[in-house]
Amino acid sequence: MERLNQTSSVSEFILLGLSSRPEDQKPLFILFLIIYLVTITGNLLIILAICSDPQLHTPMYFFLSFLSFIDICFSTTIVPRMLVNFLSEKKTISYAGCLTQMYFTYALGNTDSYLLAAMAFDRYVAICDPFRYVTIMSRRPCVLLVAFSCSLPHFHSLLHILLLNQLTFCDSNVVHHFFCDINPLLKLSCSSIFVNDLTLKTEGLVFWVTPFLCIVFSYVRILVAVLRIPSAAGKRKAFSTCGSHLTVVILFYGSIFYVYLQPLSSYNIRDRVVTIVYTVLSSMLNPFIYSLRNKDMKRGLGKLMGRRKS
């Protein structure tokens, strides 16, 4: 805490949220409370269904169970604070609390992206090299992929938090956002943000783009392999195993690239709205996307619900 006080005369930030109009606060509270409850319930059901059904004990669902767990944590990092601020007049968050929220937001958000890359690799091996699938995607490589996906993002997040902690915030403490995000915080700094901006555009860009390129490479190879399948039924079956994952990737990365791959000076209210897609909506929609388009997942959820009724 001493270090925090030395680098900033600001002891707290004010999160403006999605709207400053008093009449909007209760409807927004109800909306995001429903979204949060659906997110927690949906992802918990996915985890329980995978754990309870032996037929879902495969690498793809192993990764999916961790993705659902991370989505619960990711949503919990952001939404409860939003809910409190909707009903509060102050809408403040401490300096340390703001940095803590940003640390976990970036760590968990990037864990999501690396898990999506691991899932894309799993589909690539299953379709392009099916005879070696059991060997390549054995338990040890899967555990290592999850461990790597969950640990590396924390170092990336810590780097940006430490750099942000070197800045001075001496003018406004009003954050034009619903959570502590790096772009609106950098705009508040009254010291040079050259190093922060450079790191974002180099290390940050490489860190975000690398899993995305792995996903693109996997799906290009998958597309080539599927097009070589002679039967239409075989093509449909191959695409059906990838459709859910590809939908999640487009939703997640599309919103991230829209918000962060633009100049800091152009950051505006539209970016706040788009940020909701990858911070809140994607975590809620993932269980629906993976269950509605996946027969195995539907069966597993059916067994779980049937077991609870009996």
Side-chain angles (χ1 to χ4, degrees):
M1 285 301 296
E2 289 182 7
R3 178 58 187 163
L4 298 180
N5 292 332
Q6 289 172 3
T7 57
S8 174
S9 59
V10 172
S11 60
E12 62 183 19
F13 290 105
I14 299 172
L15 297 173
L16 285 188
L18 295 172
S19 173
S20 57
R21 300 189 333 180
E23 61 269 26
D24 292 339
Q25 304 309 304
K26 285 187 179 179
L28 285 172
F29 173 84
I30 294 170
L31 173 63
F32 280 91
L33 177 61
I34 292 171
I35 289 173
Y36 183 61
L37 293 176
V38 170
T39 300
I40 300 299
T41 304
N43 283 290
L44 273 177
L45 286 174
I46 292 289
I47 294 170
L48 291 173
I50 292 171
C51 291
S52 62
D53 189 349
Q55 291 185 327
L56 296 180
H57 293 176
T58 64
M60 182 174 74
Y61 296 110
F62 176 71
F63 294 133
L64 179 57
S65 64
F66 274 93
L67 182 69
S68 293
F69 175 72
I70 294 298
D71 279 342
I72 291 173
C73 298
F74 189 33
S75 185
T76 301
T77 302
I78 296 171
V79 180
R81 168 57 63 175
M82 290 177 68
L83 296 175
V84 170
N85 286 347
F86 285 140
L87 300 181
S88 173
E89 291 185 4
K90 288 187 176 182
K91 303 183 188 300
T92 57
I93 183 171
S94 68
Y95 184 87
C98 187
L99 294 191
T100 301
Q101 185 189 54
M102 197 174 82
Y103 171 83
F104 283 106
T105 299
Y106 278 89
L108 295 169
N110 282 292
T111 299
D112 252 9
S113 68
Y114 277 84
L115 284 174
L116 289 173
M119 293 171 76
F121 177 71
D122 171 75
R123 291 300 83 205
Y124 159 71
V125 177
I127 293 173
C128 299
D129 198 359
F131 297 110
R132 294 204 302 150
Y133 178 76
V134 176
T135 304
I136 295 173
M137 300 305 295
S138 61
R139 183 169 183 80
R140 188 169 182 272
C142 289
V143 170
L144 288 175
L145 278 171
V146 168
F148 176 81
S149 300
C150 293
S151 58
L152 186 63
H154 285 273
F155 295 102
H156 162 77
S157 184
L158 183 61
L159 170 65
H160 289 280
I161 293 300
L162 292 175
L163 288 175
L164 190 69
N165 192 37
Q166 304 302 311
L167 301 180
T168 304
F169 300 91
C170 51
D171 296 326
S172 173
N173 68 334
V174 178
V175 180
H176 294 268
H177 215 324
F178 58 86
F179 76 104
C180 290
D181 198 7
I182 194 163
N183 282 343
L185 285 175
L186 289 178
K187 291 182 77 172
L188 292 180
S189 174
C190 53
S191 56
S192 174
I193 61 170
F194 174 77
V195 176
N196 304 73
D197 198 35
L198 181 65
T199 307
L200 272 175
K201 291 176 179 176
T202 53
E203 184 273 346
L205 188 61
V206 170
F207 198 86
W208 290 332
V209 171
T210 298
F212 178 73
L213 291 178
C214 291
I215 293 170
V216 170
F217 172 79
S218 297
Y219 274 102
V220 168
R221 295 295 300 272
I222 287 171
L223 180 62
V224 171
V226 169
L227 291 176
R228 289 175 181 168
I229 298 175
S231 66
K235 289 179 181 179
R236 279 197 302 272
K237 184 179 179 181
F239 277 126
S240 68
T241 64
C242 303
S244 302
H245 181 254
L246 197 55
T247 304
V248 172
V249 168
I250 293 170
L251 186 70
F252 186 77
Y253 274 102
S255 55
I256 285 179
F257 286 154
Y258 177 86
V259 172
Y260 294 105
L261 295 185
Q262 60 176 313
L264 183 61
S265 57
S266 65
Y267 194 85
N268 54 41
I269 190 169
R270 193 191 313 154
D271 299 311
R272 265 189 275 172
V273 177
V274 176
T275 303
I276 293 173
V277 175
Y278 80 86
T279 56
V280 179
L281 291 183
S282 64
S283 296
M284 181 191 74
L285 293 175
N286 282 357
F288 294 100
I289 294 170
Y290 282 109
S291 60
L292 292 176
R293 301 189 61 179
N294 189 307
K295 291 180 180 178
D296 293 335
M297 201 68 244
K298 281 183 183 177
R299 189 193 66 249
L301 287 169
K303 285 183 179 180
L304 177 67
M305 301 309 291
R307 192 177 296 121
R308 285 179 172 274
K309 287 179 182 178
S310 61

